[in-house]
């Protein structure tokens, strides 16, 4: 017994040495950095991505961080990705939150229900809102961090399922003052959507020669001579390779490593581990294979099929250093060992293991279905049906990547060719919401190989075109979508409107008039259908808003009323309202949809920035910037360049209006770098508009004129059929200061003739303002009055204030001082309320010239708050609690409270009850001065 005890201690000491070496040798700087990150500072959040090749020591460093955090009294949540669970929707999130699910009961009811639904803990009638799921996790982590700092460790993130990864990326973007540290370990070459930009990275490179030799010296049997040289060459500085090659040499091949040939380090290690398993007793190899096939030792049902941790069958694997024990839990010491064990077994051995696990996991149908699929090589209707049910459950929970993967595998196992084609088509349609264009194209190609059914081929092609439209492949996307629409028209398929709806989005992005004509031609051949009225309205408004406005505007309120409760239709109609310059109606409809244009996943749908432009036009600039920030982050993580560029152009415009031209130019530069201006004319013109406003803010009217003029061709035609017309008044104003009135007047009148009676009230007021600025003095007043008498003008406060300022300046120059003062005062009040500093300074100068000694234009304290803080203050003033505000803005209650704590001194108040007076003062133009 004593000898057995000594042997176990010796094995433990050896394992400890082998496992702890990389944490110390050659990783001193990385260890210090990790320790610094998990310190006791509770004032902020932190995100760090730890990258390196397999065996570089990522897991060891993350283990060290977890131990350090626990030792300092902190709390640790951990999830380890696994290849076999990468296709199970929200599997990673379930693993991470399983220890704290009881504490999730304290979440607000909507958040709690959404979280429990995606984790499969309760049924859901419809897909949970992805943003609400992310907010639930954020709130839960914030609550957990109330009593002690929280460390969240994500290891092997390259194998975390996409749905869980999206939630974690959402949380990472919104952590503010939370005492939460997120450490993410991922292989160097792996793509990590949501974490590939904007976060610090700690790269674990190869050990240098000195550290590699020191690590070898610390092994129980340090190699010498030719064996040492060979190990150093083959390991290439990889800590795990140094340890395992030494171990393999000492046990099996004293004269060399025993692994021949120029293999990559990862493959070489797998061969070493596979060689170690070959010498194990049959019972041990059998249970190791079961553990490898399950890769979910934390799943109680799977654990039933494995011996207890103290069973003698584990001893040989423990002695070989292949597994480790954590209490009653046995796991592989490294993912490469699991891979080696699994792939060293024959297919028949693996099949038996998967079937055994499927039997054990009868209470977990999704896991069971995938194990059955892993054990099946021939078509099997029952297994295919089980995977289809898994896909349905994943889709209802919002796990689109998991659902598409299950549909794809179900197709492979379906005995009937027509079922395979249908399932592949469904997989392509579902995969659209993952943002993975390559995957969708691959699935569509598989459909083409599988069937000649035009309906299925059309749906698969439509899925490809829809996703292409969100990227920058606009010419190719439009051609594909119109081909689908043409074929659907010939087949009298209802798919035609869906294809035209997607094509209209591409047309708007590109601004290509030939595309407009193609859409209008095809649409004119279609009979009216009351059931498809909303979709037809979308196509008309998006592809040609100036022509559609006259007959769509009166019908729009009725269409919106019929769409009550349908967030998707409401959002589409809100975008239509924005395109038709029905800004107030658009804002109200967006509000009813509760910003759920992202409700079907994390991807921003076509024209998602319309919600931000609506807020900008209403003077709700902080909210516009929040929309831009959210869409830019999500589009960036999904690799959708055009959508990201749209968001940057929106943000640049707001920043220019606020008087920060340098930042506006940086944002425009980022936007234009993401797209081809000839394929994304909408972004190009929006970007030029932002650059022009930035130049106006600096008083550089030469640059302003050049930027605004670029929205039109040399012949005076609009570069973009919708956006270009919004620059007409700015072009006129810059032309006057540059002495180019004649050219600007010709272009403006050409635009007016082109628009005819189809122009909206907004464009009409902009044209009237432009005409007033360009007119001879005796004719200007008529146009100024026309621009200001339009009742709808109240919807666009900044543009109205600009007209008031221009008219006031004109009146002062005509020596009608008394008439000028009210207009100039009204303009100044609006500019101050909005925070439009350069325009406020100009209004102040005009008032002084009119004999009113207005004080220096000092931005209100409210205007100097961040966009997010402004929104929080406004909602708090309405009496909402921190949790209610957090749910509206997708922030944690702690973050809301932290913002309010910081803004109270800036606003000169000490209590929440004073916020209402502050906000009312701002809205009335008498805001608190900072």
């Amino acid at each position: 017994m004593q000898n057995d005890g000594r042997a176990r201690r010796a094995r433990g000491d050896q394992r400890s040495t082998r496992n702890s070496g990389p944490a110390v040798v050659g990783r001193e700087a990385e260890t210090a950095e990790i320790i610094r990150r998990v310190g006791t500072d509770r004032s902020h959040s932190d995100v760090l991505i730890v990258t390196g090749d397999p065996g570089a020591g990522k897991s060891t460093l993350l283990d060290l961080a977890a131990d350090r955090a626990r030792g300092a009294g902190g709390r640790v949540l951990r999830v380890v990705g696994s290849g076999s669970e990468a296709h199970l929707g929200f599997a990673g999130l379930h693993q991470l939150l399983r220890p704290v699910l009881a504490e999730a009961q304290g979440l607000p009811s909507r958040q709690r229900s959404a979280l429990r639904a995606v984790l499969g803990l309760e049924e859901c009638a419809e897909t949970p809102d992805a943003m609400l799921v992310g907010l639930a996790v954020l709130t839960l982590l914030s609550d957990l961090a109330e009593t002690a700092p929280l460390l969240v460790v994500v290891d092997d993130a390259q194998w975390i399922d996409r749905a869980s990864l999206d939630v974690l990326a959402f949380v990472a973007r919104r952590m503010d003052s939370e005492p939460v540290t997120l450490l993410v370990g991922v292989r160097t070459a792996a793509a990590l959507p949501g974490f590939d930009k904007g976060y610090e990275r700690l790269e674990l490179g190869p050990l240098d020669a000195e550290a590699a030799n020191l690590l070898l010296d610390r092994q129980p049997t340090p190699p010498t001579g030719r064996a040492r040289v060979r190990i150093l060459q083959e390991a290439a500085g990889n800590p795990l390779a140094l340890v395992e090659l030494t171990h393999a040499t000492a046990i099996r091949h004293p004269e060399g490593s025993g692994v021949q040939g120029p293999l990559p380090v990862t493959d070489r290690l797998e061969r070493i581990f596979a060689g170690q398993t070959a010498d194990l007793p049959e019972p041990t190899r059998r249970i190791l294979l079961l553990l490898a096939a399950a890769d979910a030792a934390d799943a109680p049902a799977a654990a039933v099929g494995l011996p207890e941790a103290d069973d003698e069958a584990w001893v040989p694997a423990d002695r070989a250093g292949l597994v480790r024990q954590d209490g009653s839990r046995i796991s592989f010491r490294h993912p490469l060992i699991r891979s080696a064990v699994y792939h060293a077994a024959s297919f028949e051995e693996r099949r038996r293991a998967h079937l055994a696990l499927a039997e054990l996991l009868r209470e977990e149908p999704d896991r069971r279905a995938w194990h059955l699929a892993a054990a099946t090589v021939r078509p099997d209707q029952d297994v295919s049906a089980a995977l289809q049910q898994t896909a349905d459950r994943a889709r209802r929970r919002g796990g689109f990547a998991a659902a598409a993967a299950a549909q794809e595998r179900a197709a492979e196992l379906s005995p009937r060719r027509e079922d395979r084609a249908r399932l592949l088509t469904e997989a392509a349609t579902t995969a659209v919401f993952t943002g993975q264009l390559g995957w969708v194209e691959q699935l569509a190609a598989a459909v083409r190989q599988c069937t000649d059914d035009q309906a299925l081929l059309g749906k698969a092609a439509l899925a490809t075109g829809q996703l292409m439209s969100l990227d920058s492949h606009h010419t190719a996307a439009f051609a594909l979508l119109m081909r689908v629409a043409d074929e659907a028209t010939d087949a009298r398929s209802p798919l035609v409107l869906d294809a035209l709806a997607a094509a209209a989005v591409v047309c708007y992005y590109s601004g290509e008039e030939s595309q407009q004509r193609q859409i209008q031609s095809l649409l004119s051949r279609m009979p009216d259908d009351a059931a498809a009225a909303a979709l037809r309205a979308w196509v008309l408004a998006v592809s040609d808003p100036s022509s559609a406005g006259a007959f769509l505007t009166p019908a729009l309120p009725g269409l919106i009323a019929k769409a009550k409760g349908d967030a998707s239709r409401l959002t589409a109609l809100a975008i239509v309202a924005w395109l038709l310059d029905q800004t107030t109606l658009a804002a109200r409809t967006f509000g009813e949809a509760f910003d759920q244009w992202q409700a079907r996943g994390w991807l921003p749908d076509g024209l998602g920035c319309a919600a931000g432009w609506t807020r900008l036009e209403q003077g709700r600039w902080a909210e516009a910037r929040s929309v831009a920030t959210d869409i830019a982050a999500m589009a960036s993580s999904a690799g959708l360049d055009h959508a990201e560029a749209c968001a940057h152009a929106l943000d640049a415009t707001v920043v220019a209006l606020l008087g920060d031209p340098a930042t506006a130019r940086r944002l425009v530069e980022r936007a234009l770098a993401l797209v081809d201006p000839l394929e994304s004319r909408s972004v190009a013109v929006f970007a030029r508009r932002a650059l022009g406003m930035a130049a106006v803010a600096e008083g550089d009217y030469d640059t302003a004129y050049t930027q605004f003029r670029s929205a039109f061709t040399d012949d005076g035609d609009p570069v973009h059929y919708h956006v270009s017309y919004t620059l007409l008044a700015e072009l006129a104003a810059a032309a006057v200061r540059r002495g180019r009135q004649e050219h600007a007047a010709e272009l403006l009148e050409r635009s007016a003739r082109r628009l005819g009676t189809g122009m909206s009230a907004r464009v009409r007021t902009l044209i009237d303002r432009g005409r007033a600025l360009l007119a001879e003095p005796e004719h200007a007043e008529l146009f100024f009055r026309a621009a200001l008498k339009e009742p709808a003008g109240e919807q666009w406060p900044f543009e109205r204030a600009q007209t008031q300022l221009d008219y006031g300046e004109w009146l002062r120059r005509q020596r009608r001082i008394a008439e000028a003062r009210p207009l100039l005062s009204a303009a100044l009040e609006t500019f101050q309320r909005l925070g439009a500093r350069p325009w406020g300074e100009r209004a102040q100068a005009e008032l002084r010239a009119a004999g009113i000694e207005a004080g220096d234009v000092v931005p209100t304290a409210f205007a100097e708050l961040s966009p997010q803080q402004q929104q929080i203050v406004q909602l708090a003033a309405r009496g909402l609690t921190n949790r209610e505000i957090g749910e509206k803005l997708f922030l944690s209650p702690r973050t809301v409270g932290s913002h309010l704590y910081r803004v109270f001194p800036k606003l000169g108040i000490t209590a929440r009850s004073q916020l209402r007076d502050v906000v009312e003062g701002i809205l009335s133009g008498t805001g608190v001065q900072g």
Side-chain angles (χ1 to χ4, degrees), residues 334-347:
H334 194 277
L336 289 179
I337 302 176
R338 173 199 174 259
S339 179
V341 168
Y342 187 81
H343 291 292
S346 68
F347 172 75

Side-chain angles (χ1 to χ4, degrees), residues 24-46:
V24 178
V25 179
R27 298 295 187 214
E28 292 79 8
E30 293 89 342
T31 299
E33 178 66 11
I34 286 287
I35 290 174
R36 183 182 71 79
R37 300 277 180 163
V38 297
T40 56
D41 184 1
R42 293 175 52 84
S43 64
H44 68 283
S45 61
D46 201 0

Side-chain angles (χ1 to χ4, degrees), residues 642-665:
H642 182 88
E644 183 182 355
C646 288
H648 290 323
L650 167 61
D651 203 16
T653 305
V654 182
V655 168
L657 296 177
L658 289 169
D660 185 357
T663 301
R665 283 192 287 268

Side-chain angles (χ1 to χ4, degrees), residues 528-882:
D528 286 338
D529 181 358
L535 197 55
R536 191 181 186 95
W538 167 270
V539 175
L540 288 166
V542 173
S543 63
D544 192 1
S546 59
S547 297
F551 60 91
L552 266 186
T553 299
L556 202 50
L559 292 172
I560 291 170
K562 291 178 181 177
K564 296 292 184 185
D566 185 333
S568 179
R569 286 179 64 197
L570 282 173
T571 301
L573 291 169
I575 293 171
V576 170
W578 169 71
L579 288 164
L580 301 182
D581 286 327
Q582 299 292 306
T583 306
T584 301
L585 179 61
R588 185 165 63 244
T589 309
F590 275 126
E592 289 181 34
F594 193 48
D595 294 349
Q596 289 188 24
W597 67 95
Q598 295 143 338
R600 293 195 64 189
W602 298 94
L603 292 184
D605 288 341
L607 299 178
C609 275
W613 290 112
T614 298
R615 287 159 169 78
L616 182 149
E617 291 161 13
Q618 279 197 312
R620 296 158 63 183
W621 292 354
E623 295 175 53
R625 294 202 68 191
S626 291
V627 170
T629 299
D630 282 344
I631 291 181
M634 282 183 280
S636 175
S637 68
L640 300 176
D641 291 345
H642 182 88
E644 183 182 355
C646 288
H648 290 323
L650 167 61
D651 203 16
T653 305
V654 182
V655 168
L657 296 177
L658 289 169
D660 185 357
T663 301
R665 283 192 287 268
R666 284 197 297 272
L667 287 164
V668 166
E669 185 177 344
R670 289 166 65 185
L672 294 178
L674 289 165
V675 297
D676 177 350
L678 294 179
E679 290 214 28
S680 297
R681 290 182 179 86
S682 60
V683 169
V685 177
F686 273 131
R688 299 300 176 190
R689 176 181 165 189
L691 290 175
M693 298 308 287
V696 171
E698 292 178 313
D700 180 2
Y701 292 98
D702 282 344
T703 299
Y705 178 84
T706 300
Q707 296 295 348
F708 295 140
R709 181 63 182 81
S710 69
F712 297 86
T713 67
D714 292 342
D715 294 333
D717 293 330
V719 169
H720 189 274
Y721 59 80
H722 177 244
V723 187
S724 289
Y725 295 125
T726 65
L727 279 68
L728 285 169
E730 302 299 344
L731 174 62
V736 168
R737 292 177 180 265
R738 198 184 178 207
R740 301 295 298 270
Q741 292 96 319
E742 184 177 343
H743 293 88
E746 181 181 340
L747 190 150
L748 187 145
E749 295 306 327
R750 180 186 179 95
S751 296
R753 289 193 300 272
R754 186 185 183 103
L755 288 167
T757 58
M759 71 178 73
S760 68
R762 179 189 177 201
V763 173
R764 190 163 55 247
T765 60
L766 293 176
I767 288 177
D768 281 334
R769 177 189 167 212
R771 283 169 168 163
L773 291 167
L774 296 168
E776 295 297 328
E778 63 270 21
H779 302 303
E781 186 165 21
L782 177 67
F783 296 117
F784 275 129
R785 288 184 176 276
L788 288 174
K789 78 175 182 180
E790 174 59 62
E794 298 291 345
Q795 296 178 85
W796 312 292
F798 178 74
E799 292 171 4
R800 192 172 187 84
Q802 285 181 293
T803 305
Q804 290 170 330
L805 175 57
D806 291 337
Y807 189 17
E809 285 178 329
W810 182 86
L811 287 169
R812 185 186 62 77
R813 289 196 298 271
Q814 302 303 310
R815 302 188 184 279
R816 294 161 61 180
I817 306 298
E819 295 173 76
R821 289 171 177 168
L823 288 164
L824 295 173
S825 296
L828 176 60
E829 180 182 293
T830 299
F831 294 142
Q832 285 186 316
R833 173 166 57 84
L834 297 177
R837 181 185 52 77
W839 286 265
E841 290 173 350
R842 185 175 140 207
Q844 176 222 23
E846 284 296 324
L847 274 170
R848 283 177 178 162
I852 296 180
E853 192 58 40
D856 288 341
V857 178
V858 181
T860 65
F862 179 81
E864 292 184 324
L865 301 181
S866 72
Q868 196 172 78
Q869 288 172 336
Q870 291 183 19
Q871 289 180 278
I872 290 169
V873 166
Q874 290 176 321
L875 292 170
R878 287 164 45 188
L880 275 68
T881 66
N882 287 2

